[in-house]
Amino acid sequence: MGDLELLLPGEAEVLVRGLRSFPLREMGSEGWNQQHENLEKLNMQAILDATVSQGEPIQELLVTHGKVPTLVEELIAVEMWKQKVFPVLCRVEDFKPPNTFPIYMVVHHEASIINLLETVFFHKEACESAEDTVLDLVDYCHRKLTLLVAQSGCGGPPEGEGSQDSNPMQELQKQAELMEFEIALKALSVLRYITDCVDRQWSVSQPPQLAHLKRIQCLHPVCWFLSPGKLQQFEGSRWHTVAPSEQQKLSKLDGQVWITLHNLLLSPEAQARYCLTSFAKGQLLKLRAFLTDTLLDQLPNLAHLQSFLAHLTLTETQPPKKDLVLEQIPEIWERLERENRGKWQAIAKHQLQHVFSPSEQDLRLQARRWAETYRLDVLEAVAPERPRCAYCSAEASKRCSRCQNEWYCCRECQVKHWEKHGKTCVLAAQGDRAK
């Protein structure tokens, strides 16, 4: 894997410097698609660099050229498109596109950006380079964590099996719902990296960003969706049944939650400004039941959190503080909503006519570009686990011989999945032949 390279250093710099924000109306357009492909290449290269530990030039380029705020704005813009415009597209009864992949690329754009941010925010310099947009990013994470809490109360994310009677747009809606859950988990990781920067962002040498800290402190209820004795855990983009002997083993997701709570509660700057109400105290003390000896063996730093909670039982609660006269608020979501309010139907109509109804020739050209972007050797290198069957999710060893994109555990699963995979398979194969 060490010799595997998707982008040369000069190419990566050109792609980073070209990143820009797009209006909601232009999402899915030719220029937007080109940037989406560039982001996918940057994303995969960043993962490759992080995997082989050979430095991370993508993160350095994003910081040097000041493009992290651009990524945050694009992230929130596509989130708004999915909430405001995508449902309008799905309600159009006579809209039957020959292929839904152009729409899927816009739906998937949010996952691409949050994945890239998760990779580069491991470095505190990337988090600091977000500047004021970190407040918008914190709010974004709050919305996604609220989704996690809501789904935990309903038993997890929606199931992936589709109905035989569903049309392509309904299938796309189901895929978008499943994607939302994975995006929320990525947002949790991003929030954890932001909390790693709390003491640096509010150091003596910089003016205190009280609005940022206050916003982050409102997020400690992420602990509410932790539950003991779990039977399943989400890891590697899939749900796995946890054997009784493994139920005390700390997963990556659980670890992110605990580290986030540790940062929020034990940072000296955060503690100095934290308002301990009776409700907050009651919720935090619930954590004591989860801090078992097995957990402390896996994350020894949580012993400090255990001591903090023990001391908290003797601490008097405080009335809500009202010492903030001026408060900075996130701007991107409000600005985008103000600029596009009342235009959702018009945006959807424009995209139906000019973006999401491509000709057969346009689809073939786009398929060729997709094939060049999503190189199989790179995808396999960055995959978090062994390939899974596209139909039954079992471990797979056979690949579709025509498009080489989907994996299956047996011939029977491939035949059953053909009705759903067929159109995409033919399109991808045409793109390969056109090279």
PDB file of all heavy atoms in Angstrom, residues 330-341:
ATOM      1  N   PRO A 330     -24.048  30.913  15.003  1.00  0.00           N
ATOM      2  CA  PRO A 330     -23.677  30.370  13.695  1.00  0.00           C
ATOM      3  C   PRO A 330     -24.408  31.113  12.582  1.00  0.00           C
ATOM      4  O   PRO A 330     -25.571  31.495  12.730  1.00  0.00           O
ATOM      5  CB  PRO A 330     -24.105  28.898  13.782  1.00  0.00           C
ATOM      6  CG  PRO A 330     -25.134  28.861  14.861  1.00  0.00           C
ATOM      7  CD  PRO A 330     -24.761  29.922  15.834  1.00  0.00           C
ATOM      8  N   GLU A 331     -23.735  31.302  11.452  1.00  0.00           N
ATOM      9  CA  GLU A 331     -24.281  32.153  10.396  1.00  0.00           C
ATOM     10  C   GLU A 331     -24.636  31.404   9.121  1.00  0.00           C
ATOM     11  O   GLU A 331     -25.526  31.830   8.384  1.00  0.00           O
ATOM     12  CB  GLU A 331     -23.258  33.254  10.047  1.00  0.00           C
ATOM     13  CG  GLU A 331     -22.935  34.186  11.200  1.00  0.00           C
ATOM     14  CD  GLU A 331     -21.911  35.237  10.819  1.00  0.00           C
ATOM     15  OE1 GLU A 331     -21.378  35.145   9.690  1.00  0.00           O
ATOM     16  OE2 GLU A 331     -21.640  36.135  11.635  1.00  0.00           O
ATOM     17  N   ILE A 332     -23.950  30.312   8.826  1.00  0.00           N
ATOM     18  CA  ILE A 332     -24.074  29.713   7.493  1.00  0.00           C
ATOM     19  C   ILE A 332     -25.483  29.209   7.238  1.00  0.00           C
ATOM     20  O   ILE A 332     -26.086  29.510   6.199  1.00  0.00           O
ATOM     21  CB  ILE A 332     -23.046  28.569   7.321  1.00  0.00           C
ATOM     22  CG1 ILE A 332     -21.627  29.131   7.409  1.00  0.00           C
ATOM     23  CG2 ILE A 332     -23.253  27.866   5.983  1.00  0.00           C
ATOM     24  CD1 ILE A 332     -20.543  28.078   7.344  1.00  0.00           C
ATOM     25  N   TRP A 333     -26.041  28.415   8.168  1.00  0.00           N
ATOM     26  CA  TRP A 333     -27.382  27.873   7.964  1.00  0.00           C
ATOM     27  C   TRP A 333     -28.404  29.006   7.813  1.00  0.00           C
ATOM     28  O   TRP A 333     -29.239  28.984   6.897  1.00  0.00           O
ATOM     29  CB  TRP A 333     -27.758  26.952   9.124  1.00  0.00           C
ATOM     30  CG  TRP A 333     -29.140  26.381   8.996  1.00  0.00           C
ATOM     31  CD1 TRP A 333     -30.316  26.978   9.360  1.00  0.00           C
ATOM     32  CD2 TRP A 333     -29.503  25.123   8.428  1.00  0.00           C
ATOM     33  NE1 TRP A 333     -31.378  26.160   9.072  1.00  0.00           N
ATOM     34  CE2 TRP A 333     -30.915  25.017   8.499  1.00  0.00           C
ATOM     35  CE3 TRP A 333     -28.783  24.066   7.889  1.00  0.00           C
ATOM     36  CZ2 TRP A 333     -31.609  23.897   8.044  1.00  0.00           C
ATOM     37  CZ3 TRP A 333     -29.471  22.950   7.424  1.00  0.00           C
ATOM     38  CH2 TRP A 333     -30.869  22.864   7.508  1.00  0.00           C
ATOM     39  N   GLU A 334     -28.335  29.991   8.706  1.00  0.00           N
ATOM     40  CA  GLU A 334     -29.286  31.100   8.656  1.00  0.00           C
ATOM     41  C   GLU A 334     -29.168  31.873   7.350  1.00  0.00           C
ATOM     42  O   GLU A 334     -30.177  32.264   6.745  1.00  0.00           O
ATOM     43  CB  GLU A 334     -29.056  32.040   9.847  1.00  0.00           C
ATOM     44  CG  GLU A 334     -29.332  31.417  11.202  1.00  0.00           C
ATOM     45  CD  GLU A 334     -30.813  31.112  11.410  1.00  0.00           C
ATOM     46  OE1 GLU A 334     -31.651  31.769  10.753  1.00  0.00           O
ATOM     47  OE2 GLU A 334     -31.118  30.218  12.211  1.00  0.00           O
ATOM     48  N   ARG A 335     -27.953  32.094   6.901  1.00  0.00           N
ATOM     49  CA  ARG A 335     -27.753  32.849   5.658  1.00  0.00           C
ATOM     50  C   ARG A 335     -28.292  32.081   4.457  1.00  0.00           C
ATOM     51  O   ARG A 335     -28.988  32.646   3.607  1.00  0.00           O
ATOM     52  CB  ARG A 335     -26.262  33.163   5.466  1.00  0.00           C
ATOM     53  CG  ARG A 335     -25.948  33.792   4.112  1.00  0.00           C
ATOM     54  CD  ARG A 335     -24.520  34.286   4.053  1.00  0.00           C
ATOM     55  NE  ARG A 335     -23.562  33.249   4.414  1.00  0.00           N
ATOM     56  CZ  ARG A 335     -23.157  32.300   3.574  1.00  0.00           C
ATOM     57  NH1 ARG A 335     -23.650  32.223   2.350  1.00  0.00           N
ATOM     58  NH2 ARG A 335     -22.265  31.408   3.959  1.00  0.00           N
ATOM     59  N   LEU A 336     -27.978  30.802   4.372  1.00  0.00           N
ATOM     60  CA  LEU A 336     -28.459  30.001   3.246  1.00  0.00           C
ATOM     61  C   LEU A 336     -29.986  29.908   3.239  1.00  0.00           C
ATOM     62  O   LEU A 336     -30.616  29.974   2.179  1.00  0.00           O
ATOM     63  CB  LEU A 336     -27.850  28.598   3.307  1.00  0.00           C
ATOM     64  CG  LEU A 336     -26.350  28.498   3.020  1.00  0.00           C
ATOM     65  CD1 LEU A 336     -25.861  27.078   3.260  1.00  0.00           C
ATOM     66  CD2 LEU A 336     -26.039  28.933   1.597  1.00  0.00           C
ATOM     67  N   GLU A 337     -30.568  29.762   4.424  1.00  0.00           N
ATOM     68  CA  GLU A 337     -32.028  29.675   4.489  1.00  0.00           C
ATOM     69  C   GLU A 337     -32.659  31.009   4.104  1.00  0.00           C
ATOM     70  O   GLU A 337     -33.695  31.038   3.421  1.00  0.00           O
ATOM     71  CB  GLU A 337     -32.467  29.255   5.894  1.00  0.00           C
ATOM     72  CG  GLU A 337     -33.934  28.899   5.989  1.00  0.00           C
ATOM     73  CD  GLU A 337     -34.281  28.285   7.325  1.00  0.00           C
ATOM     74  OE1 GLU A 337     -33.749  28.760   8.351  1.00  0.00           O
ATOM     75  OE2 GLU A 337     -35.064  27.332   7.353  1.00  0.00           O
ATOM     76  N   ARG A 338     -32.052  32.102   4.511  1.00  0.00           N
ATOM     77  CA  ARG A 338     -32.580  33.422   4.169  1.00  0.00           C
ATOM     78  C   ARG A 338     -32.480  33.670   2.657  1.00  0.00           C
ATOM     79  O   ARG A 338     -33.405  34.217   2.047  1.00  0.00           O
ATOM     80  CB  ARG A 338     -31.800  34.497   4.938  1.00  0.00           C
ATOM     81  CG  ARG A 338     -32.325  35.904   4.742  1.00  0.00           C
ATOM     82  CD  ARG A 338     -31.631  36.875   5.671  1.00  0.00           C
ATOM     83  NE  ARG A 338     -30.185  36.924   5.476  1.00  0.00           N
ATOM     84  CZ  ARG A 338     -29.286  36.411   6.307  1.00  0.00           C
ATOM     85  NH1 ARG A 338     -29.669  35.797   7.406  1.00  0.00           N
ATOM     86  NH2 ARG A 338     -27.992  36.508   6.049  1.00  0.00           N
ATOM     87  N   GLU A 339     -31.370  33.251   2.053  1.00  0.00           N
ATOM     88  CA  GLU A 339     -31.177  33.469   0.621  1.00  0.00           C
ATOM     89  C   GLU A 339     -32.113  32.616  -0.235  1.00  0.00           C
ATOM     90  O   GLU A 339     -32.472  33.011  -1.355  1.00  0.00           O
ATOM     91  CB  GLU A 339     -29.723  33.160   0.234  1.00  0.00           C
ATOM     92  CG  GLU A 339     -28.708  34.128   0.804  1.00  0.00           C
ATOM     93  CD  GLU A 339     -27.278  33.683   0.561  1.00  0.00           C
ATOM     94  OE1 GLU A 339     -27.072  32.550   0.066  1.00  0.00           O
ATOM     95  OE2 GLU A 339     -26.359  34.468   0.867  1.00  0.00           O
ATOM     96  N   ASN A 340     -32.508  31.449   0.273  1.00  0.00           N
ATOM     97  CA  ASN A 340     -33.288  30.517  -0.542  1.00  0.00           C
ATOM     98  C   ASN A 340     -34.717  30.316  -0.056  1.00  0.00           C
ATOM     99  O   ASN A 340     -35.447  29.495  -0.629  1.00  0.00           O
ATOM    100  CB  ASN A 340     -32.578  29.152  -0.582  1.00  0.00           C
ATOM    101  CG  ASN A 340     -31.224  29.220  -1.258  1.00  0.00           C
ATOM    102  OD1 ASN A 340     -31.119  29.231  -2.469  1.00  0.00           O
ATOM    103  ND2 ASN A 340     -30.162  29.269  -0.448  1.00  0.00           N
ATOM    104  N   ARG A 341     -35.117  31.038   0.960  1.00  0.00           N
ATOM    105  CA  ARG A 341     -36.469  30.861   1.504  1.00  0.00           C
ATOM    106  C   ARG A 341     -37.520  31.126   0.427  1.00  0.00           C
ATOM    107  O   ARG A 341     -37.487  32.129  -0.272  1.00  0.00           O
ATOM    108  CB  ARG A 341     -36.681  31.789   2.694  1.00  0.00           C
ATOM    109  CG  ARG A 341     -38.006  31.551   3.418  1.00  0.00           C
ATOM    110  CD  ARG A 341     -38.137  32.451   4.636  1.00  0.00           C
ATOM    111  NE  ARG A 341     -37.143  32.126   5.651  1.00  0.00           N
ATOM    112  CZ  ARG A 341     -36.211  32.949   6.084  1.00  0.00           C
ATOM    113  NH1 ARG A 341     -36.132  34.173   5.578  1.00  0.00           N
ATOM    114  NH2 ARG A 341     -35.347  32.599   7.018  1.00  0.00           N
TER     115      ARG A 341
END
